[in-house]
């Protein structure tokens, strides 16, 4: 199916097709033998010897026998890994809850090694997802993590939760970004996942504003490719008189909507999943949301993806109650209140520049400390426990009115 047939709604008017991009598969290297760590309780079943059927006449039965043997071996190794994960938990002693066993910096290190070892044919994203689920299941042996996110079920925030934590968690869909912060602060959720910026529409201001008063820390980040779909009960574009969606999604699809639904009423709601929930009640209504929302609320796809930019990506932050140790490739987020004097912003950024620390992002917001007073959100490459960052922060304390470390956390992986 071409991009044209995939993206065009069920109407006589068809837009020009957008060329798709395919990443070439990596060449596979010869497999090398690896020694298993630890000793399982029972010797694993022997894996059948490698079958090398000729290209002219592959033996399907032998190929399937080989795959079955590999599957058994994989299952045994996963079981052995889960046993060692249990032993790690015992080595840490009696802890209060699942959150006390979770180490985001350790998971980041494991996943980076997965990427470094990957020689194909599966791509990095697929392998990272597989290993993330294995780690998620192993951690859940103690107790599933409780993760708050902007609900209801079917939002992109929920997809970000699964991408970062795997599916062996207990998700808590909440009504607003503010409520996600509140539930984590109260201890009802171990972590929360909130959107912070989109590659085409910029910053989600309500998330930044929460950090002005919250004591929570950023413990991770997730980058999620966001594909928007037009969903409805009937699946026919000619029935649609009104469209529900989150304001950000309307902005991400404005060119498509202008071309195909110029007369439809646009109604903003709190989330795309809420849009899907409302659209299921009438044939003349539609929602812009992810494909998963369509599955949850029983809607048909009218068209999609319909986002104006094919690289549409949203960055999410994982918020928790403590800072974690370095992972080896980290980012530090700061909230800086500057003094009202000439060159103040230049002065507070110079300690990082002098030490070769890269600034990834800067954003200003009203500081809530007085009229025309501003706070700056700054992302710097590095971790607060590293010498260069520590020295820069010590110098910054003398130059700024106030400095707040929002978090030092692993850079997003795949």
């Amino acid at each position: 199916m071409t991009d044209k047939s995939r993206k065009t709604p069920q109407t006589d008017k068809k837009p020009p097709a957008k060329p798709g991009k395919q990443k070439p598969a990596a060449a596979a290297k010869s497999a090398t033998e690896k020694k298993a760590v630890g000793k399982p309780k029972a010797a694993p079943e022997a894996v059948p010897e490698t079958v090398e059927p000729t290209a002219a006449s592959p033996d399907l039965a032998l190929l399937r026998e080989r795959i079955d043997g590999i599957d058994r071996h994989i299952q045994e190794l996963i079981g052995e890994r889960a046993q060692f994960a249990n032993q790690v938990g015992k080595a840490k002693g009696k802890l209060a809850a699942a959150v006390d066993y979770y180490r985001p910096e350790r998971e980041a290190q494991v996943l980076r090694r997965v990427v470094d070892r990957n020689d194909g044919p599966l791509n990095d994203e697929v392998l990272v997802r597989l290993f993330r689920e294995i780690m998620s299941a192993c951690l859940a042996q103690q107790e599933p993590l409780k993760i708050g996110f902007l609900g209801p079920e079917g939002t992109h925030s929920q997809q970000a939760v699964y991408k970062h934590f795997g599916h062996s968690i207990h998700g808590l869909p909440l009504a607003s970004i503010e409520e996600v912060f509140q539930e984590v602060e109260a201890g009802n959720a171990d972590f929360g996942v909130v959107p912070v910026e989109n590659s085409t529409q910029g910053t989600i201001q309500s998330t930044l504003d929460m950090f002005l008063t919250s004591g929570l820390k950023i413990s991770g980040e997730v980058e999620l490719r966001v594909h928007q779909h037009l969903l409805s009960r009937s699946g026919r574009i000619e029935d649609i008189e009104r469209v529900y969606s989150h304001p950000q999604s309307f902005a991400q699809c404005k060119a498509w909507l202008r071309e195909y639904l110029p007369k439809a009423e646009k109604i903003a709601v709190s989330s795309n999943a809420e849009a899907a929930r409302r659209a299921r009640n009438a044939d003349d209504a539609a929602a812009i949301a992810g494909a998963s929302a369509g599955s949850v609320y029983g809607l048909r796809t009218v068209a999609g993806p319909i986002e104006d930019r094919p690289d549409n990506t949203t960055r999410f932050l994982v918020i928790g109650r403590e800072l974690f140790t370095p992972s080896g490739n980290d980012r530090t987020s700061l909230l800086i209140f500057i003094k009202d004097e000439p060159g103040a912003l230049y002065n507070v950024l110079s300690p990082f520049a002098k030490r070769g620390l890269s600034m990834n992002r800067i954003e200003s917001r009203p500081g809530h400390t007085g009229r025309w007073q501003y706070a700056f959100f700054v992302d710097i490459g590095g971790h607060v426990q590293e010498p260069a960052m520590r020295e820069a922060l010590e110098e910054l304390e003398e130059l700024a009115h106030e400095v707040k470390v929002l978090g030092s956390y692993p850079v997003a992986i795949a």
Side-chain angles (χ1 to χ4, degrees):
M1 182 179 288
T2 64
D3 283 348
K4 179 176 178 181
S5 63
R6 175 172 58 86
K7 191 172 184 177
T8 307
Q10 297 171 13
T11 178
D12 294 337
K13 186 176 181 182
K14 298 182 183 295
K18 294 185 179 180
K21 289 180 70 178
Q22 291 186 343
K23 184 178 178 181
K29 294 183 180 179
S30 299
T32 57
E33 292 186 357
K34 288 182 169 55
K35 294 182 180 179
V37 179
K39 184 177 180 181
K41 291 183 178 179
E45 270 189 68
V47 180
E49 294 182 1
T50 303
V51 177
E52 297 182 355
T54 64
S57 57
D59 189 320
L60 186 58
L62 289 176
L63 289 173
R64 287 175 173 169
E65 183 182 352
R66 173 63 176 164
I67 289 172
D68 290 344
I70 292 172
D71 287 347
R72 288 192 296 271
H73 192 49
I74 289 173
Q75 187 172 345
E76 290 161 359
L77 291 175
I78 291 175
E80 186 178 354
R81 190 191 193 283
Q83 290 176 1
F84 277 108
N86 266 330
Q87 292 180 26
V88 168
K90 293 176 181 178
K92 290 181 178 180
K94 184 67 174 177
L95 300 179
V99 66
D100 299 310
Y101 294 93
Y102 177 68
R103 306 302 304 182
E105 73 281 17
R106 165 64 180 162
E107 287 202 356
Q109 291 165 355
V110 170
L111 294 176
R112 286 184 200 129
R113 287 197 286 268
V114 169
V115 173
D116 291 342
R117 290 192 300 261
N118 185 26
D119 294 318
L122 299 179
N123 64 36
D124 292 344
E125 185 177 359
V126 169
L127 283 178
V128 165
R129 185 169 68 247
L130 290 172
F131 273 82
R132 176 74 79 186
E133 292 296 342
I134 291 171
M135 290 190 292
S136 178
C138 289
L139 180 65
Q141 292 178 104
Q142 309 293 334
E143 177 190 355
L145 290 171
K146 299 184 291 293
I147 312 297
F149 63 92
L150 178 62
E153 296 282 337
T155 59
H156 290 119
S157 294
Q158 185 181 37
Q159 293 179 42
V161 168
Y162 290 146
K163 181 174 181 180
H164 189 79
F165 290 99
H167 284 70
S168 297
I169 53 95
H170 177 57
L172 303 173
L174 301 168
S176 66
I177 289 173
E178 180 181 10
E179 193 172 344
V180 175
F181 275 79
Q182 290 171 349
E183 290 298 287
V184 178
E185 287 174 339
N188 298 324
D190 297 320
F191 294 96
V193 174
V194 291
V196 68
E197 61 178 328
N198 177 264
S199 60
T200 59
Q201 294 303 311
T203 303
I204 289 84
Q205 303 293 354
S206 54
T207 296
L208 291 188
D209 287 345
M210 288 303 301
F211 284 110
L212 292 169
T213 55
S214 174
L216 295 180
K217 301 297 183 184
I218 304 169
S219 58
E221 64 175 6
V222 191
E223 291 185 359
L224 184 71
R225 286 290 301 275
V226 173
H227 296 298
Q228 306 285 9
H229 294 74
L230 185 69
L231 310 170
S232 77
R233 195 163 74 175
S234 71
R236 298 186 303 178
I237 195 169
E238 56 267 27
D239 295 339
I240 298 172
E241 296 181 5
R242 63 186 184 277
V243 180
Y244 297 99
S245 193
H246 189 277
Q248 282 271 336
S249 296
F250 276 135
Q252 293 166 25
C253 305
K254 59 185 177 183
W256 192 96
L257 290 168
R258 187 166 53 245
E259 182 172 359
Y260 293 105
L261 290 170
K263 296 181 180 180
E265 181 184 8
K266 283 77 172 178
I267 304 173
V269 293
S270 60
S271 72
N272 288 346
E274 172 62 16
R277 190 185 68 80
R278 294 193 184 194
R280 69 179 176 179
N281 296 321
D283 284 337
D284 63 351
I288 296 175
S292 61
S295 300
V296 171
Y297 296 99
L299 298 176
R300 298 179 180 180
T301 299
V302 180
I306 64 170
E307 64 272 8
D308 297 332
R309 290 180 57 94
D311 60 348
N312 187 34
T313 301
T314 297
R315 178 177 173 235
F316 295 82
L317 297 178
V318 180
I319 53 174
R321 294 183 289 273
E322 64 176 297
L323 286 171
F324 292 91
T325 54
S327 73
N329 183 18
D330 301 289
R331 195 188 320 278
T332 293
S333 293
L334 304 172
L335 178 57
I336 304 173
F337 297 86
I338 63 174
K339 297 176 181 179
D340 186 12
E341 59 186 22
L345 182 57
Y346 171 83
N347 291 335
V348 298
L349 296 179
S350 61
F352 304 104
K354 286 191 297 187
R355 291 166 177 84
L357 297 172
S358 175
M359 183 180 70
N360 309 117
R361 177 173 166 272
I362 184 169
E363 181 90 14
S364 66
R365 292 292 294 152
H368 298 178
T369 55
R371 189 170 55 181
W372 313 123
Q373 297 295 312
Y374 288 86
F376 288 85
F377 293 86
V378 183
D379 288 345
I380 306 287
H383 194 281
V384 290
Q385 293 183 11
E386 295 169 348
M389 181 71 74
R390 191 166 57 245
E391 292 171 5
L393 290 174
E394 290 173 357
E395 183 178 343
L396 181 61
E397 292 285 353
E398 303 297 323
L399 301 170
H401 178 71
E402 182 184 349
V403 180
K404 184 178 178 181
V405 177
L406 300 180
S408 280
Y409 48 92
V411 172
I413 302 169

